[in-house]
């Protein structure tokens, strides 16, 4: 049975169900990864997005395990933080911009990068969702090389400066991740990927 925890009116549910049915027809519906491809495509209104999504490791299982533990979800910007569904799970959703202001000033680096540095003690076992800032993903990659181990990184920064490069760097690391190929990405697909994992989590909780 199809559910959408984000739809709270009959009209909203009908729109969601119709969009998903179209996405299933175009993309396929064989795996949980297909579900993420579907939702990312719906989020940007373009089925081309499905071909750009890359999975490394058992991404959905890692995300479900982290949600089951109530691990924090750490985002790069407030738009991503606001978009992630916060009901029916216990994971706190944090935004890097709310941390590390002094680090940003001292080092002359972006606020999102500084926030991830400040949040370093909370990143092990977390879910990281980056939809905007390549600089924060590059900082995270450096921390991963130094031994920090998020459970899952959804890395989909968008743009022409370091976006493609930062995602390529992430895919070169031994870490479970969902990324987009090239310069495309952004808040909508990053949030969509996270919310589809939340949806699967809710489905399994209700079925238990």
């Amino acid at each position: 049975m199809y559910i959408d925890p984000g739809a709270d009116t009959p009209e909203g549910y009908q729109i969601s169900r119709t969009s998903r049915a179209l996405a299933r027809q175009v993309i396929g519906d064989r795996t949980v990864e297909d579900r993420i491809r579907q939702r990312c495509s719906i989020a940007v209104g373009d089925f081309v997005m499905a071909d750009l999504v890359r999975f490394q490791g058992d991404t959905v299982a890692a995300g479900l395990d982290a949600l089951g533990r109530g691990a924090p979800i750490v985002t790069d910007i407030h738009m991503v933080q606001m978009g992630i569904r916060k009901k029916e799970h216990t994971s706190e959703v944090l935004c890097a911009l709310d941390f590390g202001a002094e680090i940003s000033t001292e080092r002359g680096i972006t606020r999102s990068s500084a926030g991830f540095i400040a949040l370093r003690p909370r990143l092990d076992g977390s879910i990281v969702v980056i939809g905007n800032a390549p600089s924060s993903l590059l900082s995270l990659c450096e921390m991963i090389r130094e031994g920090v181990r998020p459970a899952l990184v959804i890395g989909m920064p968008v743009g022409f400066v370091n976006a493609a490069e930062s995602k390529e760097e992430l895919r070169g690391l031994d870490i479970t991740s969902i990324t987009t190929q090239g310069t495309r990405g952004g808040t909508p697909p990053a949030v969509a990927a996270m919310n589809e994992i939340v949806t699967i989590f809710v489905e399994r909780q209700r079925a238990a």
Side-chain angles (χ1 to χ4, degrees), residues 75-80 97 110 112 116 129-137 154-164 166-167 183-191:
T75 71
D76 60 332
I77 62 170
H78 290 120
M79 190 180 298
V80 175
L97 293 179
T110 66
S112 58
F116 274 98
V129 187
I130 295 175
N132 182 77
S135 60
S136 62
L137 184 52
I154 298 174
M156 299 185 178
V158 62
F160 298 113
V161 180
N162 288 330
S166 63
K167 290 177 282 191
T183 59
R184 298 188 193 184
T187 294
V191 169

Side-chain angles (χ1 to χ4, degrees), residues 18-28 37-53 184:
T18 301
S19 294
R20 185 58 67 110
L22 290 169
R24 286 196 191 103
Q25 291 174 13
V26 174
I27 295 168
R37 293 185 185 96
Q38 292 163 11
R39 189 143 182 174
C40 289
S41 297
I42 292 167
V44 301
D46 191 345
F47 290 124
V48 169
M49 179 58 66
D51 296 327
L52 301 178
V53 180
R184 298 188 193 184

